[in-house]
């Protein structure tokens, strides 16, 4: 990694082609989870943020790779803050246990295990579990709560040690983390080293077609290096000696896919599921520039519309606050150039973010009690639900507390 803390790729991370084209340039942006204190503002770092696509294998990816040590060691995103996400992994564990016949005697290893949100329900069903996550404080808290977590990036060495110390894994998972790494092939090799005979690797990643078709540009930030299609995953799997044996759509993060891999020497399954998925989900459109040009236009139109609306309403004396301070909210706020002059504060229920300022835009993050302590005259007119993936539950929560402000998305 260069001294600047990032490097720019010249070749596609999946197929190695030099045929990369720019999709959209979001300018200089801070790291989306780098919430900070007032004192830290002078030292705040910005990095270029550019989405590009491979004209050969169609893989959509960032042009820049920021040093993962800068992004993931002092991490503030704790998965279990959102009850819907907790239920999602309860159901995930239930399905996997039934499908793979897991239970006492089985080992489940989760890469990017965060606070143990995925492993906890497997542990409750009798499986041995092991988390791997580089976030220092979150990993130690997970271990204290009973989910043993190795605080490191997942490598072949990690896989070797787990295999020697605990045994081979029947299930290796990586949910919302396979998009976060440049080390696609080293990770696939390490997973292969770790899997028991008959074991599977299951990932969940935001689905590029949902992302492009719904214009979810705020999910572009430095942590998200890849924007996966079934087609690109298939190319990577084949090159790494895996087969994709199943692809399913899941609703998390605006539309994701759950993909099951098996080492290719352990399955005869021809990837029919993948072929069907690629065709049914119209991934062919990734081969031409049209869909990317449409996406670019939609993002610019949306930015201009939102900024105009907020400025006009502010001039009329209307007050805006935010609810949820997700990483993606910071892409939108920075790209729109909205600051604490526009959005007075943002409520977030995670104590890891409260009392800090949003990266780049420096809007204070507060707890719900702060909002509740406002007098009726101070109530906001609009609540920007930056965590739009939890729009209904946040709207409901506000309603239960007697807030009549209009909930909007940015
Ligand atoms: O891929 C990633 C996903 C899994 O999580 C990471 N790169 C980072 C992170 O993305 P995000 O920050 O966009 O995730 P969420 O889950 O959409 O963040 C929601 C935020 O809203 C959290 O800070 C928690 C907060 N929240 C809240 O304060 N009250 C959420 C709910 C539902 C609530 O009731
Ligand atoms: Zn490529």
């Amino acid at each position: 990694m260069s001294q600047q803390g990032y490097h720019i790729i010249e070749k596609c991370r999946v197929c190695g082609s030099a045929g990369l084209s720019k999709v959209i340039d979001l300018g200089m942006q801070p790291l989306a989870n780098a919430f900070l204190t007032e004192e830290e503002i002078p030292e705040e770092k910005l990095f270029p943020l550019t989405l590009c696509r491979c004209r050969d294998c169609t893989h959509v990816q960032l042009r820049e790779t920021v040093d993962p040590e800068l992004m993931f060691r002092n991490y503030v995103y704790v998965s279990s803050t959102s009850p819907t996400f907790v239920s999602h992994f309860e159901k995930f564990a239930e399905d996997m246990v039934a499908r793979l016949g897991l239970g006492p005697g089985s080992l489940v290893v989760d890469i990017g295990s965060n606070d143990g949100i995925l492993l906890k329900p497997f542990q409750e069903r009798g499986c041995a579990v092991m988390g791997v996550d580089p976030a220092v404080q979150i990993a130690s808290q997970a271990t204290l709560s009973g989910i043993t977590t190795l605080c490191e990036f997942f490598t072949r060495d990690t896989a070797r040690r787990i295999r020697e110390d605990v045994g081979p894994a029947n299930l290796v998972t990586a949910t919302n983390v396979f998009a976060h790494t440049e080390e696609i092939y080293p990770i696939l090799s390490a997973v292969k080293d770790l899997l028991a005979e008959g074991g599977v690797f299951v990932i969940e990643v935001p689905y590029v077609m949902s992302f492009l078709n719904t214009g979810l540009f705020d999910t572009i930030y430095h942590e998200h290096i890849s924007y996966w299609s079934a087609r690109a995953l298939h190319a990577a799997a084949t090159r790494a000696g895996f087969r994709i044996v199943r692809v399913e759509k899941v609703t998390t993060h605006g539309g994701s896919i759950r993909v099951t891999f098996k080492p290719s020497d352990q399955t005869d399954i021809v990837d029919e599921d993948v072929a069907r998925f690629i065709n049914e989900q119209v991934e062919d459109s990734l081969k031409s520039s049209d869909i990317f040009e449409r996406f670019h236009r939609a993002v610019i139109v949306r930015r201009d519309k939102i900024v105009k609306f907020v400025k006009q309403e502010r001039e009329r004396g209307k007050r805006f606050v935010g609810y949820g301070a997700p990483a993606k909210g910071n892409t939108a706020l920075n790209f729109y150039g909205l600051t604490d002059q526009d959005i007075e504060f943002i409520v977030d229920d995670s104590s890891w973010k409260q009392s800090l300022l949003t990266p780049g835009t420096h809007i204070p993050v507060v707890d719900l009690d702060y909002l509740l302590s406002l007098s009726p005259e101070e109530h906001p007119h609009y609540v920007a639900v930056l965590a739009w993936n939890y729009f209904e539950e946040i709207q409901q929560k506000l309603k239960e507390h007697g807030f009549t402000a209009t909930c909007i998305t940015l």
Side-chain angles (χ1 to χ4, degrees), residues 77 180 221 223-224 253 326-328 348-349 353 389 397:
Y77 172 74
H180 295 54
Y221 48 93
E223 287 179 26
H224 293 170
H253 294 290
K328 55 185 167 283
D348 196 285
D349 295 318
K353 295 180 182 171
N389 41 332
K397 195 183 289 198

Side-chain angles (χ1 to χ4, degrees), residues 203-218:
I203 68 166
E204 283 185 3
V205 281
Y207 185 39
V208 72
M209 300 312 296
S210 315
F211 160 78
L212 290 171
N213 288 327
T214 47
L216 297 176
F217 84 97
D218 57 353

